[in-house]
Amino acid sequence: MRQAIDQRLLLARDVARAKWNVKAAIEDLPREEQVIAAAVRQGRALGLPEAWIRSVFRAQIEASKTVQRELYRRWQAGDAGRFDDAPDLAHTIRPELDRLTAQLLRSMADNEALLHDGSRKADVAVAMHGLQARAFNPRAADQALAPFLSPD
């Protein structure tokens, strides 16, 4: 689970570069709703509660936007140009995000009892804390993990 969250967050850099190249806005509410709706459909098939799925994937999206906004600020301040090596958003990044969504949902289903056991929150916090993405954006890492660490 932590690995899927971490990989999603690390992909935010590529998302930002792809969007920067085409001068796209960071926030795309219709696309975000599509992502969440797809996660809900997949998660329901695994028996996961809809509200929890929405909470988790809203947090993942908000964390990604936190990373993207910070990068955009840096690039604007440095007058950055186009990224020639940025992956294609539709054909490269989104399929990877879809794969990670499925992986995260499976992990949520496999660990649902543990994740909702209030007496195990400290154990979950320790297990989830070590995101690689924390090194470049601690705030985004905290956002991404919040639904797993907050009281139910």
Side-chain angles (χ1 to χ4, degrees), residues 7 18 29-30 32 34 43 63 75 98 104 114 122:
Q7 287 178 353
L29 295 178
E32 292 170 24
Q34 288 175 347
W75 297 336
D98 291 343
L104 179 53
L114 169 70

Side-chain angles (χ1 to χ4, degrees), residues 5-16 63-71 73-75 131-142 144:
I5 293 169
D6 207 22
Q7 287 178 353
R8 282 184 70 89
L9 205 47
L10 292 169
L11 264 176
R13 293 181 286 193
D14 285 338
V15 171
S64 177
K65 290 191 299 188
T66 294
V67 171
Q68 292 173 56
R69 285 183 186 112
E70 181 179 314
L71 291 171
R73 280 192 293 274
R74 283 189 212 162
W75 297 336
L131 295 179
Q132 288 179 350
R134 185 173 300 286
F136 75 87
N137 198 311
R139 190 170 129 233
D142 288 344

Side-chain angles (χ1 to χ4, degrees), residues 79-94:
D79 204 24
R82 179 172 169 68
F83 295 98
D84 292 332
D85 62 343
D88 182 83
L89 186 60
H91 297 102
T92 304
I93 298 169
R94 285 186 180 150

